[in-house]
Amino acid sequence: MQFFLDTANIEDIKKYSTWGIIDGVTTNPSLIAKEGVSLEKRIKEIAEVVKGPISSEVISTDLDGMLKEGRAYAKWAKNIYVKVPMTAAGLQAVSVLSKEGIKTNVTLIFSAGQAILAAKAGATLISPFIGRLDDISEDGMALIADIVKIFQNYKFPTKVLVASIRHPRHVIEAAKLGADIGTMPPAVFEQLVHHPLTDSGIKKFMDDWEKVKNKQ
Ligand code: E4P
């Protein structure tokens, strides 16, 4: 399973890249807005740190605008994935961009039907938002199970990028289902690292070592 970092914060991206477990980065307009920098500047900065896929989302909602932005983003770095919302115009844009060899990520997927359409349009990645489904008392992980099964049935090359991950349980369940990628905020990486038994185990080892360290 690949792990992407879901943030536009360059300090966090630099920090977690040193852990050796980050395969890519996802951003969205809200994450960029939080940073108070231009999209182009920040995406280029991220591309200096991360060699794996970097998702950069279009702002336009019409086909021409999406194509113009997508083609421009693709020139910023070799590893840019143009993130396009799941709309009819978005599907058209993905179909055109993928034929031009530009990698795409269809975002805001909330149903298996939307996932099938995005895959048929030629999306490289699709982003089902599981946390936002859970937030409205739907079952986000059931959607991942459906999509993984459907993509296997038809051998769609499109990869399932589980998005809107809120906690480690989401990561583990998505991994059990065979999802290709999980994108998560820094807080979830921190939660994944820690376990109280690891912490108490280290403390016990160190305490015991203290007692004998000066003995020959
Ligand atoms: C993914 O590409 C999105 O940026 C992200 O996962 C959305 O997460 P949220 O629902 O926590 O905003």
Side-chain angles (χ1 to χ4, degrees), residues 6-7 26-31 55 57 83 105 107-108 110 127-132 135 161-166 183-185:
D6 193 31
T7 184
T26 48
T27 66
N28 64 40
S30 304
L31 293 172
S55 289
E57 188 158 342
K83 206 172 178 187
N105 173 2
T107 189
L108 292 164
F110 291 98
S127 294
F129 278 36
I130 61 170
R132 293 192 194 186
D135 289 346
L161 191 172
V162 181
S164 190
I165 284 177
R166 302 269 196 261
T183 190
M184 57 207 96

Side-chain angles (χ1 to χ4, degrees), residues 40 43-44 47 56 67-82 97 100 102-103:
E40 180 172 356
I43 294 293
K44 285 180 174 171
S56 180
L67 291 176
K68 201 170 152 214
E69 287 171 10
R71 287 170 182 144
Y73 296 178
K75 293 198 179 97
W76 292 346
K78 283 188 304 214
N79 47 338
I80 302 302
Y81 283 51
V82 178
L97 292 172
E100 294 175 9
I102 294 173
K103 303 264 197 315

